[in-house]
Amino acid sequence: MRVVFATRNRGKLRELVPLFAELGLGFELVTIDELAPTAELREDGDTFEANALQKARQAAAATGLPALADDSGLEVDALGGAPGVYSARYAGVGATDAANNAKLEAALRGIPADRRTARYRCVAAFVDPTRGLEITRAGACEGTLLEAPR
C-alpha cells in the first residue's frame, strides 16, 4: 500500500522516509511533491490536531491515497502556550528558524529559570477516505528553555 506524506519540510522527509522504509510496516511512504507537487497544504487551524488533519485530508484528496501528516511546535508556559501552532511563523510569515528563536529569546528575557517550562508537541494524523478512517496521535517532550541557544 502506498501512503502519501503531506509535508514539504525537506528535513522531515530526509529523516522519515528512510525510517518508514526500514521499519517494514507494509506500506511505501511517498511524498506529496512526488505525486501532487501543486497541491496546497494549508495549515490555518488553531490546534496542532486541526492542522495535521487538514493537511492529511488535502493530500488524500489530491492523490487518492491514504495520507499521513503532522503539525508540531513549541508551547512555552510563561507565554501562555505561545508560540504553539504559530511556531514556524512566530516572527512572521516566511521567518527563519533564527528569526523565530530571536523573537522567543526576547519574549523570555527576564523570565526566571523556574518559569521557563515548555514542551515540544507533535500531532500526527492518518487519513484514509476510502475506508472512512481518521486517526490522530499526540506526543510531547517536556523541558525547560535555556537563556541562550546551544
Side-chain angles (χ1 to χ4, degrees), residues 41-119:
L41 297 178
R42 287 180 317 283
E43 292 180 87
D44 54 12
D46 58 1
T47 66
F48 295 120
E49 182 176 277
N51 285 336
L53 278 168
Q54 187 178 32
K55 289 190 296 185
R57 289 172 184 150
Q58 292 166 48
T63 64
L65 294 174
L68 178 66
D70 78 301
D71 194 32
S72 60
L74 184 65
E75 298 174 333
V76 181
D77 296 322
L79 301 178
V85 296
Y86 305 104
S87 292
R89 53 193 183 279
Y90 186 51
V93 176
T96 63
D97 288 344
N100 288 329
N101 286 338
K103 181 175 180 177
L104 183 61
E105 285 178 53
L108 290 172
R109 197 166 289 123
I111 303 292
D114 65 335
R115 292 199 44 238
R116 297 172 72 93
T117 54
R119 73 213 40 80

Side-chain angles (χ1 to χ4, degrees), residues 1 3 11 15 18 22 42 66 77 83 86 88 92 94 96 102 110 118 121:
M1 173 170 72
V3 174
E15 293 174 3
E22 289 174 20
R42 287 180 317 283
D77 296 322
Y86 305 104
T96 63
R121 183 175 308 282

